[in-house]
Amino acid sequence: MAPSVTGTAPSRPDQQASEPVGYDLRTSTVREVNRALHAPDAPARALITAPQGAHALACGLDAELEVTIDGHVGYYCAGMNQRAHVTITGNAGVGVAENMMSGSVRVRGDASQSAGATAHGGLLVVEGNAAARCGISMKGIDIVVGGDIGHMSAFMGQAGRLVVCGNAGEALGDSLYEARIYVRGDVASLGADCVQKPMREEHRAELAELLAAAGFDADPAGFRRYGSARRLYNFHVDNASAY
């Protein structure tokens, strides 16, 4: 049975009914905005305008919040997210959704390096392209990318699923553990111990669920699956000279 997709819970009724509270970064600091989002009486819905590439925005959220950031953001936006649902209407810098635990983060533009790095759960959607090391050391997160990804993506991926609707760069899945990778386009090269695997019905069902959660209309039949060959798990004395 395919694992369920995390981070896709519907908005609460009060979130749907209330108008978002606005925060303008031309007149407020990142520290002030983050403090307001962390407060016990934080608004269920928030709209952050004029981010102007600010770093560490909406980090460490731990409540059922719906946060929209209208513009481009810098490093580590929505890092360490728990439970909140964050939408970025522009591009995101290095480490968006880094170490996310649950909830969801959506980037309507492109994402820089290390998107979703070390994340344990939740759903990260990048509607554009993601740069190098997307999903590096992923530990349970689901990542769906509408475009291409760069080199060394899912490096040391331990758990979770990475879906790529475009092409993948060099050394995909290098030193992979148990993360699953689905790619529709071309793969420049596979990393150490990463191999193509058969697409069974359970994988097509899992992929269909992930694509639907991300809001992408793509046919699972057009994807290939990649995973670990499980040859790097243990030290083999007969191959000592190769280490």
Side-chain angles (χ1 to χ4, degrees):
M1 181 177 178
S4 61
V5 175
T6 58
T8 58
S11 300
R12 301 181 322 209
D14 60 329
Q15 289 178 318
Q16 296 170 342
S18 62
E19 289 296 319
V21 173
Y23 300 94
D24 189 338
L25 282 177
R26 290 171 296 191
T27 56
S28 300
T29 67
V30 171
R31 185 185 294 270
E32 289 169 341
V33 172
N34 284 347
R35 183 184 296 122
L37 296 176
H38 280 263
D41 59 348
R45 299 180 66 208
L47 173 62
I48 302 171
T49 55
Q52 304 176 96
H55 302 315
L57 190 54
C59 284
L61 301 182
D62 188 14
E64 291 285 347
L65 307 179
E66 185 179 300
V67 179
T68 300
I69 303 172
D70 188 15
H72 306 309
V73 295
Y75 297 170
Y76 301 113
C77 182
M80 302 179 290
N81 184 58
Q82 293 191 88
R83 301 164 61 197
H85 301 279
V86 180
T87 299
I88 301 159
T89 65
N91 301 325
V94 172
V96 64
E98 177 264 348
N99 205 36
M100 179 162 69
M101 306 300 287
S102 62
S104 67
V105 176
R106 178 179 292 270
V107 181
R108 296 206 179 275
D110 298 326
S112 186
Q113 298 186 59
S114 304
T118 73
H120 289 249
L123 173 67
L124 169 62
V125 178
V126 179
E127 296 187 1
N129 302 311
R133 299 175 180 85
C134 178
I136 182 172
S137 194
M138 55 193 289
K139 295 176 173 66
I141 187 176
D142 292 324
I143 304 175
V144 184
V145 180
D148 302 334
I149 60 172
H151 64 272
M152 294 291 288
S153 289
F155 171 59
M156 292 186 69
Q158 296 171 38
R161 287 82 61 92
L162 170 62
V163 178
V164 184
C165 296
N167 303 318
E170 296 178 348
L172 176 68
D174 190 271
S175 303
L176 196 67
Y177 286 81
E178 291 303 309
R180 293 181 180 176
I181 304 173
Y182 299 96
V183 181
R184 181 167 63 174
D186 297 327
V187 175
S189 66
L190 296 176
D193 209 43
C194 184
V195 296
Q196 184 174 346
K197 294 194 170 186
M199 277 284 283
R200 298 190 293 271
E201 188 58 38
E202 66 187 88
H203 303 121
R204 283 188 285 271
E206 174 180 80
L207 178 56
E209 183 185 10
L210 288 164
L211 290 167
F216 292 157
D217 184 16
D219 184 358
F223 288 76
R224 296 184 300 279
R225 181 171 75 96
Y226 300 90
S228 173
R230 301 186 175 93
R231 291 191 296 263
L232 296 181
Y233 282 13
N234 301 292
F235 178 87
H236 296 286
V237 68
D238 292 342
N239 300 326
S241 61
Y243 291 91

